[in-house]
Amino acid sequence: MTHLVVGDIHGCGREFRTFMKKVSARPELSDARIILAGDLFTKGPDPDLVTREILNQRHAGRSIDLICGNHEVRLLGAIGRLHGGASLDVLGKHERSTIKRLEKGGMLAKSIPLLLEASRRIQHRIFLPEGPATVVHAGIEPTLGLDGTPDHLKMHIKSEPGEINWWERYDGRDGLVIFGHKPVPEPIIMRDEDGRPIAVNIDTGCIYGGHLSGYHVESGRLLQVRSEQPIDVKKLAFALSPTLAPIGRRSASDAPARMPAG
């Protein structure tokens, strides 16, 4: 079994469905375990289709693991407040619209077990001959290391504008870390001095009109589908620190070529 890590879907159900069709068409990905790196439902127009696709893929025999993102925590909290008697109107706008869309699509009840499942998995470890790989939603604090980084940071760590991103400070001592959370125009692959990937950001802003991206861990290859959402250039450029604007020397341009379209 190999592993394909997919960046933030954010309720872009049509794009996720197209992505999985592309995966299913690749013989080399026939046995790939899909790892969804968090932020599955919130913000986008079709969270119900995200739920349907996960369930349909599992029914067809595909292994899919869910990682907890910050929006899973917020959406679960909002649903808990509703069940406790709170009005839908007092919830945050993203949670409110997502719940309405899940209800309209008849998938709210089936989405709750997926949210609970995701909430129990902060990270996913993959053991490769060349060393370990870890999938988290947002990343780690390099000064604390993988084991020392609190779960809250693994779901939320993000630099402010002008600050150095955590992955630029990471030296690879805990192996490869694959994550999303902070959208970038193209996947960023940081490498050590020997050329081995040590940090991979695959949140390429599908919700902001970018791409939905996946990273095949064993081959280091990228798989993408173009977003159907309106392009928000400011959101896609927000993640770039001064040392990565434009995207720097250790970005996707140094990665193996993308899998061919079709």
Side-chain angles (χ1 to χ4, degrees), residues 30 51 58 70 84-85 99-101 136 157-159 184 209-211 218 220 262:
S30 61
T51 297
R58 285 179 167 178
N70 56 304
I99 290 170
K100 286 181 177 179
R101 287 164 175 160
V136 293
I157 190 170
K158 182 185 291 187
S159 63
V184 290
H211 291 80
E218 282 74 13

Side-chain angles (χ1 to χ4, degrees), residues 5 14 24 29 33 39 51 54 70 78 82 102 118 120 123 137 144 147 150 171 198 203 219 235 249 255 262:
V5 186
R14 294 190 301 275
S24 297
L29 299 178
R33 177 183 292 272
D39 285 5
T51 297
I54 291 171
N70 56 304
L82 277 183
L102 287 170
R120 294 190 289 267
Q123 63 186 40
H137 176 60
L144 299 175
D147 292 338
D171 63 7
I198 58 173
D203 179 6
S219 70
K235 291 287 189 181
R249 66 187 185 283

Side-chain angles (χ1 to χ4, degrees), residues 22 32 42 47 68-69 73 79 81 90 120 141 162 164 186 193:
K22 183 175 282 193
T42 306
C68 189
V73 175
I79 293 172
R81 291 181 67 189
V90 305
R120 294 190 289 267
E141 170 48 54
I164 300 298
E186 290 283 344
E193 294 179 352

Side-chain angles (χ1 to χ4, degrees), residues 76 79 83 107-117:
L76 267 177
I79 293 172
H83 287 177
M107 298 302 289
L108 179 59
K110 291 184 177 181
S111 299
I112 293 173
L114 296 182
L115 286 165
L116 291 170
E117 175 187 339

Side-chain angles (χ1 to χ4, degrees), residues 13-32:
R14 294 190 301 275
E15 292 90 334
F16 181 46
R17 185 170 54 192
T18 300
F19 184 91
M20 291 308 302
K21 286 181 180 178
K22 183 175 282 193
V23 171
S24 297
R26 309 275 186 203
E28 70 272 25
L29 299 178
S30 61
D31 69 339

Side-chain angles (χ1 to χ4, degrees), residues 2 23 41 88 112 129 150 162-163 224 241:
T2 62
V23 171
F41 306 110
L88 190 63
I112 293 173
E163 292 182 347
Q224 292 184 303
S241 76

Side-chain angles (χ1 to χ4, degrees), residues 199-218:
V200 178
N201 183 345
I202 49 168
D203 179 6
T204 46
C206 189
I207 186 58
Y208 301 126
H211 291 80
L212 184 62
S213 296
Y215 180 77
H216 188 233
V217 179
E218 282 74 13

